[in-house]
Amino acid sequence: MNFKVRVVLKNDPYTIIIGPDVLETLPSQIRSLGLGKDALIISHPLIERLYGVKLSAALRKAGYSVKTLTVPEGEKSKSAAYALRLLKQISAYDVDKKLFIIALGGGVIGDLAGFVASIYKRGVPYIQVPTTLLAQIDSSIGGKTAIDLETGKNLVGAFYQPKLVLADTGVLKTLSQRQIRNGLAEAVKYGIIGDVKLFNFIEANHQKLNGPGPWNSRDQVRSKVLNFIVRRCAQIKAGIVSKDEKETKNLRTVLNFGHTVGHAVEAAGRYDQYHHGESVGLGMRVAARISVDMGLLAKAQELRINELITSVGLPERIVDVRLARILELMRHDKKFTAGHNRFVLARKIGQVTVVKDIPANIITQAILAYMN
Ligand SMILES: NC(=O)c1ccc[n+]([C@@H]2O[C@H](COP(=O)([O-])OP(=O)(O)OC[C@H]3O[C@@H](n4cnc5c(N)ncnc54)[C@H](O)[C@@H]3O)[C@@H](O)[C@H]2O)c1
Ligand SMILES: [Zn+2]
């Protein structure tokens, strides 16, 4: 029943385990990895209550010591202040211990806890236990850890691979519909960058995920759709990361489709107006428009991309954000260097390319097309 995906890296290979009840297997997985005896869970209070308490009990039963530290929900916790607070709390606790960190939560926890793991004592082992759809299909895989600065997202961080990723699709049942849509944005991205079949699958099945939560864990239809999406996206991401661990080739760059404008919109909205996936949905609309204007993508394909983003329920327009602010924030994008811009653009659904030096007016017009 459980599905395994291997991230094949020269120095730090690891496995992603996906399935409806894999959380229960965490203590035995840790044992087989030969990590330390002292688990330090980093989470949010809500996730701690929903899943952390049970996980801690299982770990203690298996002979581990467990300490849990929490940070408030939201992107604002992915900050230098919270990273430093965690580091101080960890070091105060770390006496005669052999610590390993468990990141239990969505992308915010994964990025923050991974970053803390990467710098505490120059690196302690950590495990990703992603609890949002977005984190299961994207942020927990590939070892990108980060905190944000005022000037932009993810500007401080490290490549630091986890020892294991445990994606329990059963925990997705307590997510809000907004969080599901947020994750679906990244799933649509995977379809566009490399898998038209996945795109077709989302088109055909995403409506089955609608409806009030929390879901019943026996809800087989939803469970099947989510399991398929998580497995396929994890395979795609693992495949790309295995070929280009540190984004030194254009391979890993394609994962940024929709993110250049998306990150800027997210930052311009101060990280609370739009969730990450929502901004990426808007960024994908803009990227598709630029692709059309650059003569790469057929208009009909752009329409199909936009229709799916809309029918998934993601925002259609960029509101209450100034164009000048978006353009200014975009200049902090990692892909922009020495006055040159670089965008991931679509040739068709399932195939993208990296393009340099796009005329500024094409970018501006494409953003304006989605502004009020
Ligand atoms: N490192 C990477 O490669 C990478 C890739 C994509 C995104 N990211 C980052 O991920 C972050 C966004 O992650 P996110 O969308 O998971 O947001 P998030 O971590 O803020 O989680 C969203 C909300 O869902 C709640 N939640 C989490 N799991 C839950 C569950 N099972 N049941 C009920 N509620 C639950 C959380 O408490 C939170 O309030 C951004 O900071 C983004 O930059 C990183
Ligand atoms: Zn993303």
Side-chain angles (χ1 to χ4, degrees):
M1 188 66 180
N2 294 345
F3 186 80
K4 290 188 182 177
V5 180
R6 192 79 180 145
V7 184
V8 190
L9 301 173
K10 211 165 108 207
N11 296 324
D12 308 293
Y14 55 97
T15 304
I16 305 163
I17 304 176
I18 301 163
D21 294 305
V22 293
L23 202 51
E24 290 169 4
T25 70
L26 186 64
S28 61
Q29 307 283 355
I30 294 170
R31 188 166 305 117
S32 68
L33 286 171
L35 299 181
K37 273 280 166 213
D38 304 293
L40 193 132
I41 300 174
I42 299 180
S43 196
H44 294 310
L46 171 77
I47 316 290
E48 156 69 358
R49 277 199 304 280
L50 285 172
Y51 306 107
V53 173
K54 204 168 152 199
L55 177 62
S56 302
L59 283 165
R60 286 197 185 97
K61 203 169 155 206
Y64 292 90
S65 85
V66 187
K67 166 94 176 160
T68 302
L69 298 174
T70 61
V71 295
E73 296 191 11
E75 184 74 25
K76 291 200 169 70
S77 287
K78 240 177 82 174
S79 66
Y82 277 106
L84 188 61
R85 195 177 91 166
L86 285 171
L87 288 163
K88 286 179 178 168
Q89 288 173 317
I90 295 170
S91 101
Y93 171 70
D94 184 12
V95 180
D96 291 335
K97 300 214 165 44
K98 189 165 180 251
L99 285 183
F100 62 95
I101 290 177
I102 300 176
L104 176 69
V108 164
I109 289 292
D111 283 11
L112 173 69
F115 177 62
V116 165
S118 78
I119 54 174
Y120 180 64
K121 288 188 167 171
R122 300 193 183 86
V124 290
Y126 79 114
I127 291 168
Q128 288 277 12
V129 183
T131 61
T132 61
L133 179 57
L134 183 138
Q136 295 195 349
I137 67 176
D138 195 352
S139 59
S140 65
I141 307 163
K144 272 194 184 178
T145 72
I147 54 171
D148 306 328
L149 296 181
E150 294 277 300
T151 36
K153 265 181 76 82
N154 303 330
L155 289 181
V156 178
F159 283 101
Y160 191 62
Q161 301 294 342
K163 296 292 179 201
L164 172 76
V165 179
L166 207 72
D168 188 325
T169 50
V171 308
L172 303 178
K173 66 180 184 288
T174 48
L175 285 179
S176 66
Q177 283 296 308
R178 189 174 180 192
Q179 289 304 338
I180 292 287
R181 294 197 291 267
N182 199 44
L184 283 175
E186 299 279 8
V188 171
K189 175 195 80 179
Y190 285 113
I192 297 170
I193 67 171
D195 187 356
V196 68
K197 282 193 193 142
L198 172 64
F199 191 94
N200 296 341
F201 179 88
I202 302 168
E203 268 183 341
N205 293 287
H206 73 83
Q207 254 133 7
K208 295 179 186 153
L209 300 177
N210 291 343
W215 304 343
N216 187 321
S217 50
R218 288 185 300 269
D219 187 334
Q220 291 298 325
V221 177
R222 280 171 172 168
S223 175
K224 270 193 183 150
V225 172
L226 281 172
N227 262 288
F228 177 86
I229 291 175
V230 175
R231 288 174 178 199
R232 187 64 199 118
C233 295
Q235 276 178 323
I236 297 173
K237 177 131 189 199
I240 292 174
V241 169
S242 298
K243 290 193 203 112
D244 184 13
E245 181 183 0
K246 302 219 165 131
E247 208 168 328
T248 46
K249 307 168 196 159
N250 272 346
L251 291 169
R252 192 162 176 169
T253 309
V254 303
L255 291 166
N256 276 306
F257 182 73
H259 282 61
T260 307
V261 171
H263 277 157
V265 168
E266 195 179 357
R270 302 202 161 273
Y271 302 116
D272 50 31
Q273 186 171 343
Y274 295 110
H275 288 175
H276 178 73
E278 293 169 349
S279 329
V280 169
L282 289 162
M284 291 194 292
R285 291 182 196 271
V286 175
R289 175 60 57 89
I290 297 174
S291 310
V292 170
D293 291 345
M294 292 293 288
L296 291 169
L297 182 73
K299 193 82 191 152
Q301 291 265 296
E302 183 204 11
L303 201 66
R304 220 179 128 198
I305 290 172
N306 275 329
E307 273 175 1
L308 182 55
I309 297 170
T310 303
S311 70
V312 160
L314 290 159
E316 294 183 45
R317 321 234 11 117
I318 306 168
V319 291
D320 295 333
V321 173
R322 284 182 308 116
L323 174 69
R325 183 79 184 124
I326 296 176
L327 294 174
E328 182 194 325
L329 286 160
M330 265 167 52
R331 291 176 43 225
H332 290 285
D333 189 286
K334 290 187 290 288
K335 293 186 296 310
F336 287 29
T337 40
H340 295 279
N341 66 49
R342 221 149 56 96
F343 268 82
V344 185
L345 299 181
R347 287 187 183 280
K348 60 180 183 185
I349 295 165
Q351 193 189 340
V352 287
T353 180
V354 181
V355 181
K356 266 205 257 179
D357 292 328
I358 294 165
N361 69 317
I362 290 193
I363 300 172
T364 308
Q365 288 308 319
I367 299 172
L368 278 174
Y370 291 100
M371 293 190 82
N372 280 341

